[in-house]
Amino acid sequence: MRLTNKTAVVTGAAGGIGQAIVKKLLAEGAQVLAADLSASALTVFNDYPKDKLITFSVDVTDYQQVEAMVQHGVTHFGQLDIMINNAGIGAPKPLLDHDPIADFEPVTRVNQQGVYYGILAAGRQFRRQESKGVILNTSSVYAQLASEMTFTYNVSKAAVDMMTKCAALELAPLGIRVCAVAPGRVDTPMLRQYEALGLWDHIRKEQMRQTFTQPSEIADIVAFLVSDEANCINGCTVSASDGFEHFKYPLLG
Ligand code: NAI
């Protein structure tokens, strides 16, 4: 087990990728604070013993709540070692159909400001503890690619990539590592929005092997990235997309 006696906070923990990350970290020996906006969705973790897993309702767009989340984990488990800023939202919509507020602010606040708050609260806690911690942000292949109907989402994920670099640089003197993972198409409730649009089969073919990534596969990469085995990976976003960004949609399907 690679994360024995490590304490991790995971946001967006009740979602598809978040749940898989929580389970993987537990399997690697970590203690986990699983946090999400949805208190009812967090009940999926009710059966775990409290010395291994606790839950916390948080809105990552509110810094006071993010700070309180970190402190709750520290009070319960004694320290913070790993911060995983995974909460994210997005809803496909053509740019010119946007409501300038409703289709920009909520996504930006969760995906960009939420990650910023997580970096800040965790970095401050690591400094208080005088310990080397790891911060892992969930980005997306869309951070570096243009795509239709996801304008605000892509912009917010590009910000995640830049925040990952800048935070890694500023926190390096404290021995803190910051990196990100960029999934392509992962079969979760977020992605299922494309099913309703009749695009499910189309987006499957955007991955080289034309199969959706499973949340557990992203969790495997995350567990590696936050472990000491990934000690030399810092300030970058690691692609976990089955080649999504390395080819154009195949002519021959
Ligand atoms: P999901 O929709 O299954 O889970 C997202 C979770 O975030 C939900 O449980 C939701 O309640 C929570 N959340 C939303 N707003 C929040 C807030 N203000 N405060 C705290 N929690 C909040 O989505 P999924 O697919 O598991 O996404 C996880 C991360 O992976 C996101 O950052 C997403 O952008 C990213 N991602 C997902 C991909 C996919 O294909 N599913 C591809 C690339 C990146």
Side-chain angles (χ1 to χ4, degrees), residues 160-230:
V160 170
D161 281 5
M162 185 50 77
M163 287 191 288
T164 299
K165 293 182 204 189
C166 290
L169 182 64
E170 285 220 35
L171 301 181
L174 300 175
I176 298 166
R177 205 157 58 77
V178 188
C179 52
V181 65
R185 296 296 196 189
V186 189
D187 189 357
T188 70
M190 177 186 276
L191 198 68
R192 288 276 166 181
Q193 295 177 95
Y194 286 93
E195 206 173 17
L197 295 170
L199 293 171
W200 192 244
D201 198 46
H202 178 94
I203 63 170
R204 181 177 55 75
K205 293 176 183 169
E206 289 177 325
Q207 307 224 129
M208 280 191 184
R209 286 176 289 175
Q210 305 198 358
T211 54
F212 292 111
T213 300
Q214 292 306 308
S216 63
E217 296 178 279
I218 301 302
D220 288 345
I221 306 295
V222 168
F224 164 69
L225 287 175
V226 301
S227 77
D228 290 343
E229 289 177 5

XYZ file of all heavy atoms in Angstrom, residues 160-230:
551
model
N -7.030 25.828 -14.564
C -6.550 24.783 -13.639
C -5.111 24.395 -13.990
O -4.259 24.256 -13.113
C -7.477 23.544 -13.684
C -6.862 22.374 -12.925
C -8.849 23.886 -13.103
N -4.831 24.246 -15.279
C -3.463 23.889 -15.680
C -2.472 24.976 -15.267
O -1.379 24.678 -14.765
C -3.387 23.676 -17.200
C -3.924 22.310 -17.624
O -4.443 21.576 -16.754
O -3.834 21.986 -18.823
N -2.840 26.238 -15.455
C -1.916 27.319 -15.103
C -1.778 27.459 -13.592
O -0.686 27.699 -13.073
C -2.375 28.639 -15.751
C -1.416 29.797 -15.533
S 0.325 29.419 -15.930
C 0.283 29.503 -17.722
N -2.894 27.277 -12.869
C -2.805 27.327 -11.401
C -1.910 26.207 -10.889
O -1.178 26.376 -9.905
C -4.200 27.202 -10.779
C -5.050 28.452 -10.957
S -6.554 28.434 -9.961
C -7.540 27.207 -10.815
N -1.947 25.070 -11.563
C -1.108 23.939 -11.157
C 0.370 24.310 -11.279
O 1.169 24.061 -10.367
C -1.445 22.710 -12.033
O -2.826 22.380 -11.834
C -0.581 21.519 -11.682
N 0.723 24.948 -12.388
C 2.134 25.347 -12.585
C 2.551 26.420 -11.585
O 3.611 26.325 -10.967
C 2.316 25.933 -13.997
C 2.142 24.960 -15.123
C 2.411 25.670 -16.454
C 1.698 24.947 -17.572
N 2.060 25.408 -18.886
N 1.711 27.456 -11.480
C 2.084 28.586 -10.615
C 2.155 28.163 -9.149
O 3.063 28.576 -8.423
C 1.085 29.732 -10.770
S 1.186 30.541 -12.367
N 1.203 27.345 -8.719
C 1.213 26.896 -7.325
C 2.419 26.010 -7.059
O 3.062 26.106 -6.006
C -0.086 26.153 -7.014
N 2.733 25.149 -8.022
C 3.892 24.264 -7.838
C 5.159 25.090 -7.633
O 5.989 24.779 -6.765
C 4.037 23.338 -9.041
N 5.286 26.151 -8.417
C 6.483 26.990 -8.310
C 6.537 27.707 -6.962
O 7.561 27.698 -6.274
C 6.493 28.009 -9.451
C 7.720 28.931 -9.480
C 8.998 28.128 -9.734
C 7.547 30.007 -10.539
N 5.405 28.291 -6.562
C 5.412 29.061 -5.312
C 5.529 28.187 -4.074
O 6.028 28.618 -3.039
C 4.144 29.916 -5.216
C 4.211 31.116 -6.140
C 3.635 32.382 -5.522
O 3.770 32.603 -4.312
O 3.039 33.147 -6.290
N 5.038 26.969 -4.162
C 5.039 26.100 -2.987
C 6.268 25.186 -2.945
O 6.518 24.511 -1.945
C 3.758 25.262 -2.933
C 2.451 26.086 -2.889
C 1.234 25.178 -2.803
C 2.457 27.064 -1.728
N 7.028 25.180 -4.035
C 8.212 24.306 -4.094
C 9.194 24.532 -2.940
O 9.734 23.555 -2.396
C 8.914 24.473 -5.445
N 9.432 25.802 -2.527
C 10.377 25.991 -1.414
C 9.939 25.289 -0.128
O 10.768 25.013 0.745
C 10.394 27.517 -1.230
C 9.977 28.070 -2.548
C 8.998 27.085 -3.098
N 8.646 25.006 -0.006
C 8.145 24.300 1.185
C 8.163 22.786 0.985
O 7.736 22.031 1.853
C 6.713 24.759 1.501
C 6.521 26.251 1.784
C 5.040 26.584 1.968
C 7.305 26.664 3.025
N 8.594 22.353 -0.192
C 8.632 20.915 -0.466
C 7.302 20.357 -0.917
O 7.114 19.145 -1.010
N 6.359 21.262 -1.201
C 5.007 20.825 -1.612
C 4.996 20.585 -3.120
O 5.583 21.349 -3.884
C 3.965 21.908 -1.241
C 3.942 22.100 0.280
C 2.586 21.547 -1.776
C 3.213 23.365 0.725
N 4.335 19.540 -3.517
C 4.207 19.188 -4.924
C 2.780 19.460 -5.387
O 1.830 19.183 -4.650
C 4.529 17.694 -5.046
C 5.025 17.200 -6.366
C 5.817 15.903 -6.150
N 5.052 14.842 -5.511
C 4.137 14.085 -6.111
N 3.869 14.266 -7.382
N 3.506 13.123 -5.453
N 2.644 19.981 -6.627
C 1.309 20.243 -7.178
C 1.259 19.703 -8.602
O 2.112 20.052 -9.433
C 0.981 21.758 -7.213
C -0.482 21.983 -7.614
C 1.257 22.420 -5.866
N 0.302 18.856 -8.889
C 0.155 18.387 -10.270
C -1.330 18.179 -10.573
O -2.186 18.361 -9.719
C 0.977 17.129 -10.537
S 0.706 15.817 -9.386
N -1.598 17.846 -11.816
C -2.992 17.687 -12.248
C -3.111 16.465 -13.147
O -2.125 16.015 -13.730
C -3.460 18.940 -12.990
N -4.336 15.968 -13.241
C -4.622 14.873 -14.161
C -5.663 15.380 -15.162
O -6.573 16.122 -14.807
C -5.121 13.618 -13.405
C -6.468 13.858 -12.729
C -5.207 12.415 -14.337
N -5.489 14.996 -16.425
C -6.422 15.430 -17.478
C -7.094 14.217 -18.104
O -6.529 13.572 -18.995
C -5.681 16.229 -18.542
N -8.308 13.892 -17.652
C -9.046 12.804 -18.301
C -9.597 13.256 -19.652
O -9.701 14.448 -19.930
C -10.196 12.523 -17.326
C -9.885 13.269 -16.067
C -9.030 14.416 -16.481
N -9.976 12.263 -20.468
C -10.673 12.538 -21.726
C -12.154 12.313 -21.528
O -12.853 13.181 -21.015
N -12.634 11.141 -21.915
C -14.057 10.819 -21.779
C -14.228 9.725 -20.722
O -13.912 8.551 -20.969
C -14.610 10.323 -23.111
C -14.582 11.346 -24.246
C -15.457 12.526 -23.950
N -15.739 13.332 -25.151
C -16.344 14.507 -25.103
N -16.715 15.031 -23.942
N -16.585 15.182 -26.212
N -14.740 10.104 -19.571
C -14.927 9.158 -18.466
C -16.412 8.973 -18.225
O -17.157 9.958 -18.121
C -14.245 9.683 -17.184
C -14.254 8.603 -16.103
C -12.833 10.153 -17.465
N -16.830 7.733 -18.118
C -18.259 7.432 -17.980
C -18.745 7.771 -16.565
O -18.646 6.959 -15.643
C -18.511 5.957 -18.296
C -20.004 5.658 -18.388
O -20.825 6.578 -18.151
O -20.351 4.503 -18.688
N -19.255 8.996 -16.419
C -19.778 9.481 -15.134
C -21.066 10.253 -15.401
O -21.384 10.559 -16.552
C -18.783 10.456 -14.464
O -18.756 11.671 -15.241
C -17.384 9.884 -14.362
N -21.779 10.627 -14.335
C -23.001 11.417 -14.538
C -22.757 12.685 -15.358
O -23.606 13.079 -16.166
C -23.432 11.755 -13.107
C -22.924 10.604 -12.302
C -21.616 10.210 -12.931
N -21.586 13.324 -15.175
C -21.314 14.542 -15.955
C -21.323 14.250 -17.449
O -21.913 14.965 -18.244
C -19.961 15.138 -15.556
C -19.592 16.364 -16.376
S -17.926 16.958 -16.040
C -18.217 17.956 -14.605
N -20.668 13.159 -17.832
C -20.556 12.838 -19.260
C -21.887 12.397 -19.859
O -22.141 12.591 -21.049
C -19.492 11.755 -19.473
C -18.991 11.643 -20.908
C -18.187 12.882 -21.292
C -18.153 10.398 -21.113
N -22.739 11.815 -19.014
C -24.021 11.290 -19.518
C -24.918 12.390 -20.096
O -25.915 12.095 -20.767
C -24.754 10.537 -18.411
C -24.087 9.194 -18.072
C -24.528 8.095 -19.005
N -23.671 6.904 -18.905
C -23.832 5.807 -19.634
N -24.802 5.725 -20.519
N -23.022 4.785 -19.503
N -24.570 13.651 -19.854
C -25.334 14.748 -20.471
C -25.298 14.634 -21.994
O -26.212 15.048 -22.682
C -24.735 16.098 -20.072
C -24.840 16.423 -18.584
C -24.160 17.744 -18.248
O -24.805 18.779 -18.202
N -22.862 17.702 -18.032
N -24.209 14.069 -22.509
C -24.090 13.930 -23.969
C -25.020 12.851 -24.516
O -25.341 12.842 -25.695
C -22.635 13.629 -24.350
C -21.737 14.841 -24.226
C -21.028 15.083 -23.062
C -21.609 15.751 -25.269
C -20.217 16.202 -22.928
C -20.798 16.867 -25.156
C -20.102 17.087 -23.986
O -19.314 18.198 -23.865
N -25.418 11.932 -23.646
C -26.366 10.893 -24.063
C -27.701 11.551 -24.415
O -28.301 11.257 -25.452
C -26.546 9.905 -22.905
C -26.958 8.533 -23.324
C -26.945 7.568 -22.151
O -26.938 8.004 -20.980
O -26.948 6.355 -22.416
N -28.118 12.481 -23.565
C -29.386 13.173 -23.805
C -29.350 13.989 -25.100
O -30.383 14.237 -25.716
C -29.699 14.091 -22.626
N -28.149 14.397 -25.512
C -28.008 15.177 -26.749
C -27.866 14.283 -27.984
O -27.677 14.771 -29.097
C -26.767 16.081 -26.655
C -26.804 17.191 -25.589
C -25.440 17.848 -25.444
C -27.861 18.237 -25.963
N -27.902 12.972 -27.775
C -27.752 12.031 -28.891
C -26.326 11.917 -29.390
O -26.084 11.495 -30.525
N -25.365 12.269 -28.540
C -23.958 12.289 -28.968
C -23.118 11.203 -28.304
O -21.881 11.226 -28.397
C -23.354 13.680 -28.643
C -23.932 14.848 -29.440
C -23.435 16.178 -28.877
C -23.541 14.723 -30.918
N -23.759 10.269 -27.619
C -23.021 9.294 -26.819
C -22.052 8.475 -27.674
O -20.872 8.324 -27.339
C -24.005 8.384 -26.080
C -23.375 7.538 -25.009
C -23.290 6.178 -24.982
C -22.741 8.016 -23.810
N -22.642 5.772 -23.833
C -22.298 6.878 -23.107
C -22.499 9.285 -23.273
C -21.626 6.971 -21.880
C -21.837 9.372 -22.053
C -21.409 8.233 -21.380
N -22.529 7.960 -28.771
C -21.665 7.131 -29.619
C -20.565 7.973 -30.259
O -19.425 7.529 -30.401
C -22.503 6.433 -30.692
C -21.752 5.253 -31.293
O -21.179 4.462 -30.508
O -21.708 5.133 -32.533
N -20.906 9.182 -30.604
C -19.937 10.091 -31.226
C -18.754 10.349 -30.276
O -17.586 10.217 -30.668
C -20.622 11.409 -31.581
C -19.707 12.419 -32.187
N -19.547 12.563 -33.551
C -18.874 13.337 -31.617
C -18.666 13.516 -33.792
N -18.251 14.003 -32.628
N -19.046 10.685 -29.038
C -17.944 11.052 -28.141
C -17.107 9.838 -27.738
O -15.935 9.981 -27.410
C -18.435 11.828 -26.896
C -19.361 10.964 -26.043
C -19.106 13.130 -27.294
C -19.674 11.599 -24.694
N -17.709 8.670 -27.788
C -16.924 7.453 -27.497
C -15.760 7.327 -28.476
O -14.662 6.896 -28.117
C -17.845 6.233 -27.581
C -17.180 4.904 -27.284
C -18.198 3.761 -27.328
N -18.942 3.671 -28.581
C -18.451 3.199 -29.731
N -17.211 2.767 -29.788
N -19.198 3.160 -30.824
N -15.992 7.730 -29.726
C -14.973 7.573 -30.763
C -13.891 8.647 -30.687
O -12.969 8.656 -31.493
C -15.643 7.587 -32.145
C -16.530 6.371 -32.355
C -17.250 6.456 -33.683
C -18.204 5.272 -33.847
N -19.096 5.439 -34.986
N -14.033 9.561 -29.743
C -12.989 10.575 -29.573
C -11.784 10.027 -28.816
O -10.779 10.722 -28.665
C -13.553 11.796 -28.847
C -14.509 12.585 -29.735
C -15.144 13.746 -29.024
O -15.424 13.623 -27.824
O -15.376 14.766 -29.659
N -11.908 8.828 -28.298
C -10.761 8.193 -27.647
C -10.180 7.182 -28.651
O -10.924 6.571 -29.409
C -11.197 7.511 -26.355
C -11.959 8.463 -25.440
C -11.551 8.374 -23.996
O -11.268 9.369 -23.385
N -11.496 7.176 -23.459
N -8.857 7.033 -28.636
C -8.236 6.213 -29.679
C -8.802 4.808 -29.742
O -9.008 4.263 -30.811
C -6.715 6.157 -29.473
C -5.981 7.378 -29.976
S -4.214 7.081 -29.972
C -3.626 8.706 -30.473
N -9.083 4.208 -28.569
C -9.591 2.836 -28.582
C -11.113 2.776 -28.554
O -11.694 1.704 -28.407
C -8.973 2.044 -27.432
C -7.503 1.701 -27.724
C -6.840 1.007 -26.565
N -6.640 1.932 -25.454
C -6.158 1.579 -24.261
N -5.847 0.316 -24.008
N -5.987 2.483 -23.325
N -11.731 3.966 -28.693
C -13.180 4.064 -28.842
C -13.954 3.411 -27.699
O -15.022 2.828 -27.895
C -13.617 3.494 -30.197
C -12.884 4.165 -31.357
C -13.561 3.972 -32.686
O -14.574 3.309 -32.783
N -13.011 4.579 -33.721
N -13.383 3.501 -26.511
C -14.115 3.061 -25.317
C -13.986 4.155 -24.262
O -12.965 4.854 -24.212
C -13.548 1.755 -24.719
O -12.151 1.939 -24.487
C -13.762 0.575 -25.636
N -15.004 4.299 -23.451
C -14.932 5.290 -22.386
C -13.951 4.828 -21.310
O -13.846 3.638 -21.010
C -16.314 5.502 -21.765
C -17.274 6.172 -22.710
C -18.344 5.474 -23.239
C -17.086 7.492 -23.077
C -19.225 6.095 -24.115
C -17.957 8.117 -23.960
C -19.021 7.411 -24.486
N -13.266 5.790 -20.743
C -12.432 5.497 -19.581
C -13.355 5.273 -18.382
O -14.390 5.938 -18.256
C -11.503 6.696 -19.297
O -10.686 6.917 -20.443
C -10.624 6.452 -18.086
N -12.997 4.343 -17.526
C -13.769 4.118 -16.306
C -13.209 4.981 -15.168
O -11.993 5.224 -15.117
C -13.731 2.634 -15.905
C -14.466 1.730 -16.880
C -15.899 2.189 -17.118
O -16.660 2.400 -16.175
N -16.267 2.363 -18.388
N -14.068 5.455 -14.273
C -13.581 6.284 -13.165
C -12.430 5.638 -12.389
O -11.497 6.323 -11.963
C -14.821 6.439 -12.278
C -15.969 6.346 -13.228
C -15.546 5.350 -14.277
N -12.482 4.327 -12.233
C -11.414 3.643 -11.474
C -10.053 3.772 -12.158
O -9.009 3.776 -11.496
C -11.758 2.164 -11.286
O -11.820 1.524 -12.549
N -10.062 3.920 -13.485
C -8.782 4.084 -14.199
C -8.163 5.448 -13.896
O -6.944 5.579 -13.798
C -9.003 3.906 -15.702
C -9.474 2.520 -16.091
C -9.731 2.405 -17.587
O -10.803 2.831 -18.043
O -8.851 1.883 -18.295
N -9.016 6.466 -13.768
C -8.509 7.791 -13.381
C -8.011 7.734 -11.931
O -6.961 8.286 -11.589
C -9.604 8.875 -13.541
C -10.086 8.935 -15.000
C -9.076 10.236 -13.082
C -9.011 9.231 -16.033
N -8.756 7.039 -11.090
C -8.360 6.920 -9.681
C -6.991 6.240 -9.544
O -6.192 6.611 -8.680
C -9.426 6.132 -8.914
N -6.721 5.270 -10.394
C -5.406 4.595 -10.355
C -4.283 5.597 -10.639
O -3.233 5.580 -9.994
C -5.347 3.471 -11.394
C -6.200 2.267 -11.009
O -6.608 2.175 -9.832
O -6.471 1.436 -11.892
N -4.515 6.475 -11.635
C -3.498 7.479 -11.980
C -3.335 8.474 -10.828
O -2.216 8.851 -10.455
C -3.898 8.256 -13.262
C -4.189 7.320 -14.428
C -2.827 9.282 -13.635
C -3.025 6.537 -14.925
N -4.461 8.878 -10.261
C -4.420 9.839 -9.151
C -3.645 9.261 -7.964
O -2.801 9.944 -7.369
C -5.859 10.235 -8.738
C -5.865 10.986 -7.411
C -6.507 11.079 -9.835
N -3.924 8.010 -7.630
C -3.230 7.389 -6.488
C -1.723 7.356 -6.715
O -0.933 7.591 -5.799
C -3.770 5.976 -6.257
N -1.338 7.098 -7.946
C 0.092 7.124 -8.274
C 0.645 8.545 -8.128
O 1.689 8.765 -7.499
C 0.313 6.604 -9.697
C 1.660 6.940 -10.264
C 2.815 6.351 -9.750
C 1.793 7.859 -11.300
C 4.076 6.676 -10.262
C 3.034 8.190 -11.820
C 4.179 7.595 -11.290
N -0.064 9.516 -8.693
C 0.447 10.904 -8.702
C 0.600 11.483 -7.305
O 1.488 12.312 -7.081
C -0.473 11.798 -9.543
C -0.396 11.591 -11.057
C -1.454 12.443 -11.764
C 0.997 11.926 -11.590
N -0.241 11.071 -6.366
C -0.121 11.621 -5.005
C 0.812 10.790 -4.131
O 1.069 11.142 -2.986
C -1.500 11.784 -4.314
C -2.396 12.716 -5.121
C -2.174 10.440 -4.079
N 1.326 9.701 -4.678
C 2.227 8.848 -3.890
C 3.673 9.303 -4.062
O 4.007 10.042 -4.991
C 2.088 7.382 -4.341
O 2.783 7.191 -5.571
N 4.537 8.817 -3.197
C 5.965 9.167 -3.293
C 6.600 8.629 -4.571
O 7.635 9.121 -5.000
C 6.720 8.619 -2.072
C 6.330 9.379 -0.808
O 5.764 10.485 -0.926
O 6.572 8.847 0.294
N 5.971 7.637 -5.189
C 6.502 7.106 -6.452
C 6.509 8.163 -7.554
O 7.269 8.055 -8.509
C 5.668 5.899 -6.926
C 5.858 4.671 -6.070
C 4.962 3.521 -6.510
O 4.269 3.645 -7.543
O 4.946 2.506 -5.797
N 5.663 9.169 -7.404
C 5.579 10.233 -8.420
C 6.324 11.489 -7.962
O 6.020 12.592 -8.400
C 4.119 10.556 -8.704
